[in-house]
Short mmCIF file of all heavy atoms in Angstrom, two decimals:
data_model
loop_
_atom_site.label_atom_id
_atom_site.label_comp_id
_atom_site.label_asym_id
_atom_site.label_seq_id
_atom_site.Cartn_x
_atom_site.Cartn_y
_atom_site.Cartn_z
N GLY E 26 -6.93 -15.67 -12.36
CA GLY E 26 -6.09 -14.91 -11.42
C GLY E 26 -6.88 -14.26 -10.28
O GLY E 26 -7.55 -14.97 -9.52
N ASP E 52 -2.12 -18.04 -19.62
CA ASP E 52 -1.48 -16.71 -19.50
C ASP E 52 0.02 -16.88 -19.32
O ASP E 52 0.75 -15.90 -19.29
CB ASP E 52 -1.94 -15.97 -18.24
CG ASP E 52 -3.39 -15.56 -18.25
OD1 ASP E 52 -4.09 -15.96 -19.18
OD2 ASP E 52 -3.81 -14.85 -17.33
N ILE E 61 6.98 -17.93 -16.31
CA ILE E 61 6.06 -17.20 -15.45
C ILE E 61 4.68 -17.86 -15.56
O ILE E 61 4.19 -18.09 -16.67
CB ILE E 61 5.92 -15.71 -15.88
CG1 ILE E 61 7.27 -15.10 -16.27
CG2 ILE E 61 5.18 -14.89 -14.83
CD1 ILE E 61 8.18 -14.71 -15.19
N SER E 62 4.05 -18.14 -14.44
CA SER E 62 2.69 -18.72 -14.40
C SER E 62 1.81 -17.80 -13.54
O SER E 62 1.56 -18.08 -12.36
CB SER E 62 2.71 -20.13 -13.79
OG SER E 62 3.41 -21.01 -14.61
N PRO E 63 1.32 -16.70 -14.13
CA PRO E 63 0.66 -15.66 -13.31
C PRO E 63 -0.53 -16.16 -12.49
O PRO E 63 -0.65 -15.80 -11.32
CB PRO E 63 0.23 -14.61 -14.33
CG PRO E 63 1.12 -14.82 -15.50
CD PRO E 63 1.40 -16.29 -15.54
N ASP E 64 -1.40 -16.97 -13.10
CA ASP E 64 -2.61 -17.36 -12.36
C ASP E 64 -2.29 -18.36 -11.24
O ASP E 64 -2.81 -18.25 -10.13
CB ASP E 64 -3.68 -17.91 -13.30
CG ASP E 64 -4.29 -16.80 -14.17
OD1 ASP E 64 -3.94 -15.62 -13.94
OD2 ASP E 64 -5.10 -17.10 -15.06
N ASP E 66 0.45 -18.47 -9.65
CA ASP E 66 1.12 -17.72 -8.59
C ASP E 66 0.15 -16.83 -7.82
O ASP E 66 0.26 -16.72 -6.60
CB ASP E 66 2.27 -16.88 -9.17
CG ASP E 66 3.45 -17.77 -9.57
OD1 ASP E 66 3.43 -18.97 -9.22
OD2 ASP E 66 4.38 -17.27 -10.22
N TRP E 82 -1.52 -8.77 -7.80
CA TRP E 82 -0.65 -9.86 -8.26
C TRP E 82 0.70 -9.69 -7.56
O TRP E 82 0.98 -8.65 -6.97
CB TRP E 82 -0.47 -9.81 -9.79
CG TRP E 82 -0.10 -8.46 -10.31
CD1 TRP E 82 -0.97 -7.49 -10.73
CD2 TRP E 82 1.21 -7.88 -10.40
NE1 TRP E 82 -0.29 -6.36 -11.10
CE2 TRP E 82 1.06 -6.57 -10.90
CE3 TRP E 82 2.51 -8.32 -10.12
CZ2 TRP E 82 2.13 -5.72 -11.13
CZ3 TRP E 82 3.57 -7.47 -10.35
CH2 TRP E 82 3.39 -6.19 -10.85
N TRP E 103 8.44 -3.67 -19.07
CA TRP E 103 6.99 -3.48 -19.01
C TRP E 103 6.32 -4.52 -18.12
O TRP E 103 5.25 -4.26 -17.58
CB TRP E 103 6.38 -3.51 -20.43
CG TRP E 103 6.68 -4.77 -21.21
CD1 TRP E 103 7.76 -4.98 -22.02
CD2 TRP E 103 5.89 -5.97 -21.26
NE1 TRP E 103 7.69 -6.25 -22.56
CE2 TRP E 103 6.56 -6.88 -22.11
CE3 TRP E 103 4.69 -6.36 -20.68
CZ2 TRP E 103 6.08 -8.15 -22.40
CZ3 TRP E 103 4.21 -7.63 -20.96
CH2 TRP E 103 4.89 -8.51 -21.80
N PHE E 104 6.94 -5.67 -17.95
CA PHE E 104 6.37 -6.72 -17.08
C PHE E 104 7.21 -6.75 -15.81
O PHE E 104 8.40 -7.06 -15.84
CB PHE E 104 6.41 -8.07 -17.80
CG PHE E 104 5.56 -9.12 -17.15
CD1 PHE E 104 4.18 -9.13 -17.32
CD2 PHE E 104 6.14 -10.11 -16.37
CE1 PHE E 104 3.39 -10.11 -16.71
CE2 PHE E 104 5.36 -11.09 -15.76
CZ PHE E 104 3.98 -11.07 -15.93
N ARG E 105 6.58 -6.40 -14.70
CA ARG E 105 7.35 -6.14 -13.48
C ARG E 105 7.51 -7.42 -12.64
O ARG E 105 6.53 -8.03 -12.24
CB ARG E 105 6.64 -5.06 -12.68
CG ARG E 105 6.70 -3.71 -13.39
CD ARG E 105 5.69 -2.75 -12.83
NE ARG E 105 5.99 -2.40 -11.46
CZ ARG E 105 5.10 -1.92 -10.61
NH1 ARG E 105 3.84 -1.73 -10.99
NH2 ARG E 105 5.44 -1.63 -9.39
N LEU E 106 8.75 -7.76 -12.41
CA LEU E 106 9.06 -8.92 -11.57
C LEU E 106 9.73 -8.41 -10.30
O LEU E 106 10.85 -7.87 -10.35
CB LEU E 106 9.98 -9.88 -12.34
CG LEU E 106 9.37 -10.51 -13.59
CD1 LEU E 106 10.42 -11.29 -14.37
CD2 LEU E 106 8.19 -11.41 -13.24
N ASP E 110 9.43 -12.10 -5.73
CA ASP E 110 8.69 -12.90 -6.71
C ASP E 110 9.66 -13.66 -7.63
O ASP E 110 9.37 -14.79 -8.05
CB ASP E 110 7.80 -11.94 -7.51
CG ASP E 110 6.80 -12.64 -8.40
OD1 ASP E 110 6.38 -13.77 -8.07
OD2 ASP E 110 6.42 -12.07 -9.44
N HIS E 114 9.88 -17.62 -9.78
CA HIS E 114 10.07 -17.87 -11.22
C HIS E 114 11.38 -18.59 -11.49
O HIS E 114 11.44 -19.47 -12.36
CB HIS E 114 10.00 -16.56 -12.01
CG HIS E 114 8.80 -15.74 -11.67
ND1 HIS E 114 7.52 -16.26 -11.72
CD2 HIS E 114 8.67 -14.47 -11.21
CE1 HIS E 114 6.67 -15.32 -11.34
NE2 HIS E 114 7.35 -14.24 -11.01
N PHE E 166 -0.96 -12.62 -24.86
CA PHE E 166 -1.86 -12.15 -23.81
C PHE E 166 -1.22 -11.14 -22.86
O PHE E 166 -1.82 -10.11 -22.54
CB PHE E 166 -2.42 -13.33 -22.99
CG PHE E 166 -3.39 -12.85 -21.94
CD1 PHE E 166 -4.65 -12.42 -22.30
CD2 PHE E 166 -3.01 -12.77 -20.61
CE1 PHE E 166 -5.54 -11.95 -21.34
CE2 PHE E 166 -3.89 -12.29 -19.66
CZ PHE E 166 -5.16 -11.88 -20.02
N GLN E 167 -0.01 -11.40 -22.37
CA GLN E 167 0.58 -10.45 -21.41
C GLN E 167 0.90 -9.11 -22.07
O GLN E 167 0.83 -8.07 -21.42
CB GLN E 167 1.83 -11.05 -20.76
CG GLN E 167 1.56 -12.26 -19.88
CD GLN E 167 0.62 -11.99 -18.71
OE1 GLN E 167 0.41 -10.85 -18.29
NE2 GLN E 167 0.01 -13.04 -18.20
N PHE E 170 -2.47 -7.48 -22.07
CA PHE E 170 -3.01 -7.21 -20.74
C PHE E 170 -2.14 -6.20 -19.98
O PHE E 170 -2.65 -5.25 -19.39
CB PHE E 170 -3.08 -8.54 -19.96
CG PHE E 170 -3.87 -8.47 -18.70
CD1 PHE E 170 -5.23 -8.74 -18.70
CD2 PHE E 170 -3.27 -8.16 -17.49
CE1 PHE E 170 -5.97 -8.70 -17.52
CE2 PHE E 170 -4.00 -8.11 -16.31
CZ PHE E 170 -5.35 -8.38 -16.33
N VAL E 171 -0.83 -6.42 -20.01
CA VAL E 171 0.06 -5.59 -19.18
C VAL E 171 0.66 -4.44 -20.00
O VAL E 171 0.51 -3.27 -19.64
CB VAL E 171 1.18 -6.45 -18.55
CG1 VAL E 171 2.16 -5.58 -17.79
CG2 VAL E 171 0.58 -7.51 -17.63
N1 FO1 T 401 0.13 -7.52 -14.03
C1 FO1 T 401 0.29 -6.23 -14.38
O1 FO1 T 401 -0.70 -5.54 -14.60
N2 FO1 T 401 1.56 -5.68 -14.51
C2 FO1 T 401 2.68 -6.40 -14.26
O2 FO1 T 401 3.79 -5.87 -14.40
C3 FO1 T 401 2.52 -7.77 -13.85
C4 FO1 T 401 3.61 -8.56 -13.53
C5 FO1 T 401 3.40 -9.87 -13.05
C6 FO1 T 401 4.48 -10.65 -12.64
C7 FO1 T 401 4.29 -11.93 -12.17
C8 FO1 T 401 2.99 -12.45 -12.10
O3 FO1 T 401 2.79 -13.69 -11.64
C9 FO1 T 401 1.90 -11.68 -12.50
C10 FO1 T 401 2.09 -10.39 -12.97
N3 FO1 T 401 1.02 -9.59 -13.37
C11 FO1 T 401 1.21 -8.29 -13.76
C12 FO1 T 401 -0.35 -10.11 -13.32
C13 FO1 T 401 -0.76 -10.87 -14.58
O4 FO1 T 401 -0.15 -10.49 -15.74
C14 FO1 T 401 -2.28 -10.85 -14.81
O5 FO1 T 401 -3.00 -10.50 -13.69
C15 FO1 T 401 -2.81 -12.18 -15.25
O6 FO1 T 401 -2.12 -12.78 -16.27
C16 FO1 T 401 -4.30 -12.10 -15.60
O7 FO1 T 401 -4.91 -13.11 -14.89
#
Side-chain angles (χ1 to χ4, degrees):
D52 293 7
I61 319 283
S62 294
D64 289 354
D66 287 350
W82 48 269
W103 57 271
F104 194 78
R105 293 163 65 201
L106 296 172
D110 190 29
H114 310 307
F166 182 74
Q167 294 300 340
F170 192 90
V171 176

